[in-house]
């Protein structure tokens, strides 16, 4: 495949980030896998996938420690994202959780800090904390995760809520519900969507049409699934892998040039939503 540049996405604060990054869900759970996980992330960084997404939830901080080791010595080259548990997202709790994440990551700032999903704490309190962290230089921007359109609309009514920089949601070929209203809503406002679980933890990779199209392009089904999301304006894709070889395969997805006819075949195999559906989460 061609060595095409990874496309970039503009954040509301002016930051330019790669549309293909790296996820870390399930990392840090097994010490025997730590070396492979670190090597995979470093391989991805070398290939230009410099956005790394993690969370305090992942292995209860274990994934953040893996990321911290992987980015040691090259922090300035990384766009670093982490997330706060909803039950920690009070005014003071958010700030304290951020400090703990920074310690595990071995850095003094995050580029993007997300509320992992909605909880019981008022959005106004969480946003106030985010704005305080931003003012102190602890985070560059803040956003949310698993917010549906109605949640986003409510967020914009909160003081400071219009500073939301991203919404991270479940989005892949088999989970296209966001295309009905959430994705267009965010695109219109230039709020990037971060697509997690872009290959559905591998479950969609055995679909016969996906396999057939992948073979036609001398690609893998996973690469086609990633290319599908990379075609969407304002979408950042964050596949997770613990294999340096697979990280390179993910990187090559940006070089795929799928025809309109083959996209139509995939639309038939994985139909877009015809009506509003509740936002899906895993």
């Amino acid at each position: 495949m061609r060595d095409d540049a990874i496309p970039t996405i503009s954040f509301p604060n002016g930051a330019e980030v790669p549309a293909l990054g790296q996820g870390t869900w399930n990392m840090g759970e097994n010490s025997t896998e730590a070396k492979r996980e670190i090597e995979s992330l470093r391989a991805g960084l070398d290939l230009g996938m410099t956005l790394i997404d993690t969370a305090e939830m992942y292995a209860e901080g274990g994934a953040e420690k893996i990321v911290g080791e992987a980015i040691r010595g090259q922090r300035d080259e990384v766009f670093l994202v982490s997330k706060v548990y909803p039950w920690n997202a009070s005014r003071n709790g958010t700030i304290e959780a951020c400090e703990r994440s920074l310690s595990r990551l071995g850095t003094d700032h995050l580029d993007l800090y997300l509320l992992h999903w909605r909880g019981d704490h008022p959005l106004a309190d969480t946003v106030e904390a985010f704005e305080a962290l931003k003012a102190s230089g602890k985070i560059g921007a803040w956003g949310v995760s698993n917010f549906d359109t109605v949640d986003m609309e409510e967020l914009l009514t909160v003081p400071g809520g219009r500073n939301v920089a991203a919404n991270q949601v479940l989005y892949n070929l088999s989970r296209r519900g966001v295309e009905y209203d959430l994705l267009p809503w965010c695109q219109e406002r230039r709020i990037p969507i971060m697509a997690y679980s872009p290959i559905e933890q591998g479950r969609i990779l055995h679909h016969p049409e996906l396999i057939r199209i992948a073979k036609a392009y001398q690609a893998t089904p996973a690469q086609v699934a990633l290319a599908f999301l990379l075609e969407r304006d304002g979408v950042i894709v964050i596949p997770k892998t613990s294999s340096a070889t697979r990280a390179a395969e993910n990187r090559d997805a940006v070089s795929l040039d799928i025809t309109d006819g083959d996209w139509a075949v995939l639309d038939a195999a994985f139909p877009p939503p015809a009506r509003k559906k509740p936002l899906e989460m895993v």
Side-chain angles (χ1 to χ4, degrees):
M1 295 183 184
R2 302 184 307 277
D3 187 21
D4 291 349
I6 298 175
T8 59
I9 300 291
S10 296
F11 270 67
N13 65 358
E16 291 283 330
V17 303
L20 180 63
Q22 302 184 81
T24 61
W25 188 19
N26 294 325
M27 285 190 179
E29 294 183 352
N30 186 338
S31 61
T32 62
E33 291 293 308
K35 185 173 184 291
R36 289 183 70 244
E37 291 167 348
I38 292 166
E39 289 174 350
S40 176
L41 290 171
R42 287 177 176 168
L45 292 177
D46 290 343
L47 292 165
M49 295 183 291
T50 53
L51 183 152
I52 297 180
D53 174 82
T54 190
E56 67 172 342
M57 184 188 84
Y58 302 163
E60 295 298 325
E64 289 179 324
K65 293 178 181 178
I66 292 291
V67 173
E69 186 62 31
I71 68 175
R72 184 180 296 177
Q74 48 186 332
R75 170 66 184 93
D76 292 344
E77 301 169 24
V78 178
F79 189 90
L80 188 57
V81 185
S82 194
K83 300 184 275 298
V84 57
Y85 269 129
W87 46 83
N88 286 338
S90 64
R91 172 63 173 78
N92 292 329
T94 299
I95 293 172
E96 293 168 357
C98 183
E99 294 283 3
R100 293 191 296 270
S101 288
L102 293 175
S103 177
R104 288 187 291 264
L105 288 159
T107 185
D108 62 358
H109 73 286
L110 293 167
D111 297 289
L112 180 65
Y113 196 33
L114 308 178
L115 173 60
H116 210 146
W117 64 89
R118 288 200 70 168
D120 294 331
H121 292 292
L123 286 177
D125 291 358
T126 308
V127 171
E128 185 181 354
F130 281 154
E131 289 293 317
L133 286 166
K134 192 166 65 171
S136 68
K138 298 291 178 65
I139 65 174
W142 63 266
V144 294
S145 182
N146 298 301
F147 269 45
D148 207 346
T149 310
V150 66
D151 302 306
M152 294 298 291
E153 289 172 341
E154 181 183 344
L155 178 62
L156 296 194
T157 70
V158 170
R162 292 185 178 274
N163 292 329
V164 60
N167 185 11
Q168 185 177 130
V169 296
L170 176 62
Y171 183 25
N172 59 52
L173 270 170
S174 67
R175 309 265 199 161
R176 298 179 62 177
V178 299
E179 294 178 8
Y180 188 81
D181 61 346
L182 179 61
L183 179 59
W185 190 96
C186 288
Q187 289 171 329
E188 182 180 343
R189 291 158 181 80
R190 299 191 176 184
I191 300 171
I193 285 282
M194 300 179 70
Y196 73 80
S197 296
I199 61 172
E200 189 70 5
Q201 292 89 57
R203 288 188 291 271
I204 62 174
L205 303 184
H206 305 291
H207 193 285
E209 285 295 349
L210 188 58
I211 292 171
R212 185 188 66 77
I213 289 174
K215 286 181 178 178
Y217 290 87
Q218 296 183 313
T220 67
Q223 287 171 331
V224 175
L226 296 177
F228 164 81
L229 294 169
L230 291 167
E231 282 282 303
R232 272 61 190 164
D233 291 338
V235 173
I236 298 166
V237 192
I238 47 171
K240 176 263 178 182
T241 181
S242 298
S243 162
T245 299
R246 187 63 55 80
E249 290 178 2
N250 290 343
R251 168 64 176 82
D252 281 341
V254 305
S255 299
L256 283 176
D257 186 12
I258 310 295
T259 67
D260 290 344
D262 283 330
W263 284 135
V265 170
L266 284 175
D267 270 344
F270 300 95
R275 57 181 175 79
K276 172 67 178 176
K277 298 180 179 180
L279 185 70
E280 296 181 283
M281 295 174 54
V282 293

